[in-house]
Amino acid sequence: MNAAKLPPARTGEEPWTTGEFAEVRGSLEQEIALLREKIADTESELAEQLTDAVSNAGDDPTDTGAKAYQREHDLALAYNSRDLLAQSERAIERMDAGTYGVCGSCGQAIGKARLQAYPRALLCVACKQREERR
């Protein structure tokens, strides 16, 4: 990893070290692997539930409703996992492109502490606050 690929530091922050950057990248890569595994497991379970018509035979309306609620809950969790996976993969792509750590709105450095806490961040704190107020 050369120094040109390291994210920019905000004014008053210590510059990124290759070790810090590698740690953030490693945590993203580990999260990507876990999310892919979780998504595959969830999709397999959902497919099994949907193809097993016998398991719902004879259920009363309460059981049917509970199972439908559980399926919807599992689908929502799978959707959230897919979204986190996509965000993490885009963060890795930005690292490879040398654009990681640059705010997508104002073009300034996002901030080392923010990226270490939330490595998928696309906006600096000020721009994120502005976005949330809208």
Side-chain angles (χ1 to χ4, degrees), residues 3-72:
K5 291 262 187 180
L6 294 176
R10 293 180 59 92
T11 304
E13 280 185 337
E14 291 291 320
W16 283 83
T17 65
T18 54
E20 291 169 333
F21 188 65
E23 186 177 323
V24 170
R25 185 182 180 102
S27 70
L28 279 169
E29 289 171 342
Q30 184 178 21
E31 185 175 340
I32 286 170
L34 290 172
L35 286 168
R36 284 182 178 155
E37 184 178 318
K38 182 178 178 179
I39 290 167
D41 290 346
T42 301
E43 287 175 348
S44 174
E45 289 174 20
L46 286 170
E48 186 177 308
Q49 289 173 5
L50 293 174
T51 58
D52 188 9
V54 176
S55 70
N56 294 332
D59 282 354
D60 66 21
T62 306
D63 290 338
T64 303
K67 287 180 181 178
Y69 175 80
Q70 185 61 46
R71 258 193 319 275
E72 288 176 23

